Amino acid sequence: MEAIKLMKELKSNLDQEVHYLPKETGLSLIESTQENGNGVSAKCRDARVEDLWSLTSFFGYSTQTFVLAVNLLDRFIAMMKVQPRYLACISIGCLHIAARVTKEECKVSSSHELIRISQCKFTVSDLSRMEKIILEKLNFQLKAVTALTFLHLYHAIALSHTSNRKDVLNLDKLEAQLKACLCRIVFSKAKPSVLALSLLMLEIEALQSVDLLEIAQHIQTHLKISKADLVHWRGLVGQCMREYSSPECAKPDHKKLVWIVSRRTAQNLHSIYRSIPELPTIPEDTWDESESQALISTENHLDFSFSL
């Protein structure tokens, strides 16, 4: 019964996915835009998505939040003619909206915190206005059907047919691979159902599981996904995974935040560090009540609060 219910849910999401796809003409225009041009280029878009991945990891947001943020971003920039200088504000706005939509799964950070940690040069009011524009242009269609939706359903279907596959078919690994794909705009053109199945197929091939392969093929037949589409996107996903696994690739989730402070702040930090009094050495060989009282008195007068 559970498998039948999952297959019905799968078909329902398949019917809905078309409503949450970015406009392909808009994506193609971004891909053809030259760097340092008037519009957003593919490289610029991909860099912003990598930053979103880093922020997602920093704030402890779920994969669902990240995937939804990327979906909102792609749908918006594929619809609107956006100047590169506004892209940072748009991407952070999409992440903030996605975090609120998925707030059951993550603690939503404030607008101020998002701006401060991302070190973007806009204000809270700028972000608020941008979010309003995004919501209006997307007609408030926020709970999108994404590749993650299908990935979770495919995984659940596989588990419902084989009780001992939980440790073999690793959902966390599949989610990480999906995030890597979403950092490239080319995968925004793929149907979510096909992209998710491509990831699943590649993982099953690596596991060399005949049982799981039959389940994946059954899903392909049920959703009427053509062999040509699957072969095309599976090839691109495979290439992406090989490049992502190479030592030369800088992983967005491994990036360290680099803080940029002003000269005045740096000088204040150095002066504060130099002004911290040294604690007296605590004798180890002897201990009496008078020394104990002296130590307590010293601790009560120390102030470790820093201000920038």
Side-chain angles (χ1 to χ4, degrees):
M1 288 297 293
E2 183 185 358
I4 295 174
K5 182 181 177 181
L6 287 169
M7 295 303 276
K8 286 183 178 179
E9 188 177 351
L10 196 60
K11 188 65 171 65
S12 174
N13 281 288
L14 183 71
D15 295 336
Q16 292 295 318
E17 71 174 349
V18 66
H19 301 301
Y20 303 100
L21 292 173
K23 289 185 177 180
E24 190 166 344
T25 52
L27 294 175
S28 297
L29 182 62
I30 293 171
E31 287 180 316
S32 63
T33 300
Q34 297 297 318
E35 210 47 33
N36 301 321
N38 294 326
V40 174
S41 66
K43 185 177 180 180
C44 186
R45 176 267 180 199
D46 292 352
R48 291 312 311 176
V49 173
E50 288 185 1
D51 288 342
L52 290 183
W53 189 351
S54 298
L55 289 171
T56 298
S57 300
F58 180 87
F59 286 108
Y61 288 164
S62 64
T63 302
Q64 183 183 4
T65 301
F66 170 75
V67 174
L68 179 58
V70 176
N71 177 266
L72 297 175
L73 174 65
D74 285 338
R75 284 160 57 196
F76 184 81
I77 63 176
M79 178 193 303
M80 308 295 294
K81 188 175 181 180
V82 175
Q83 294 184 28
R85 60 179 176 172
Y86 297 128
L87 190 59
C89 189
I90 294 168
S91 63
I92 298 299
C94 289
L95 181 62
H96 200 210
I97 293 169
R100 292 202 302 271
V101 172
T102 60
K103 61 184 177 183
E104 295 84 5
E105 299 185 18
C106 64
K107 183 180 178 182
V108 181
S109 300
S110 66
S111 301
H112 173 74
E113 277 297 289
L114 276 173
I115 295 170
R116 186 175 70 87
I117 298 300
S118 63
Q119 301 187 52
C120 293
K121 297 179 180 178
F122 51 83
T123 65
V124 171
S125 59
D126 291 334
L127 183 61
S128 179
R129 288 196 300 272
M130 185 59 74
E131 287 178 19
K132 184 179 179 182
I133 294 171
I134 294 168
L135 291 170
E136 289 175 351
K137 294 301 180 182
L138 298 182
N139 295 319
F140 295 89
Q141 293 181 329
L142 306 178
K143 292 188 176 181
V145 174
T146 65
L148 186 66
T149 308
F150 289 98
L151 203 57
H152 283 184
L153 283 171
Y154 296 161
H155 186 261
I157 290 168
L159 291 185
S160 69
H161 282 84
T162 53
S163 59
N164 62 339
R165 295 293 174 184
K166 186 174 183 180
D167 295 330
V168 176
L169 199 57
N170 191 320
L171 184 59
D172 289 339
K173 181 180 179 181
L174 289 168
E175 287 187 0
Q177 292 174 341
L178 173 60
K179 288 190 281 190
C181 287
L182 293 181
C183 289
R184 302 187 178 191
I185 194 172
V186 64
F187 292 105
S188 300
K189 292 182 175 181
K191 289 182 179 179
S193 55
V194 180
L195 177 56
L197 190 58
S198 299
L199 285 162
L200 187 74
M201 284 283 203
L202 281 173
E203 184 62 17
I204 290 172
E205 287 175 6
L207 295 171
Q208 298 181 340
S209 171
V210 176
D211 294 339
L212 288 175
L213 183 59
E214 288 181 358
I215 295 169
Q217 289 172 342
H218 177 67
I219 292 172
Q220 179 187 352
T221 303
H222 183 74
L223 298 183
K224 299 179 180 179
I225 296 175
S226 71
K227 184 179 179 180
D229 278 351
L230 191 59
V231 168
H232 171 73
W233 288 109
R234 190 171 59 182
L236 290 178
V237 169
Q239 181 182 350
C240 177
M241 291 302 101
R242 287 190 295 273
E243 293 175 359
Y244 186 75
S245 300
S246 67
E248 292 78 15
C249 179
K251 312 295 189 295
D253 54 335
H254 293 168
K255 283 184 178 178
K256 293 182 179 179
L257 292 173
V258 179
W259 293 101
I260 302 173
V261 298
S262 66
R263 182 179 301 175
R264 179 181 176 183
T265 301
Q267 290 172 346
N268 288 339
L269 286 173
H270 283 297
S271 62
I272 290 171
Y273 175 77
R274 287 194 297 268
S275 66
I276 297 175
E278 293 184 3
L279 289 171
T281 303
I282 301 173
E284 298 181 2
D285 53 346
T286 60
W287 184 266
D288 57 39
E289 290 187 5
S290 62
E291 289 172 332
S292 176
Q293 291 299 324
L295 178 60
I296 293 172
S297 176
T298 303
E299 287 178 340
N300 288 338
H301 287 84
L302 288 176
D303 183 7
F304 289 102
S305 61
F306 288 18
S307 61
L308 300 181

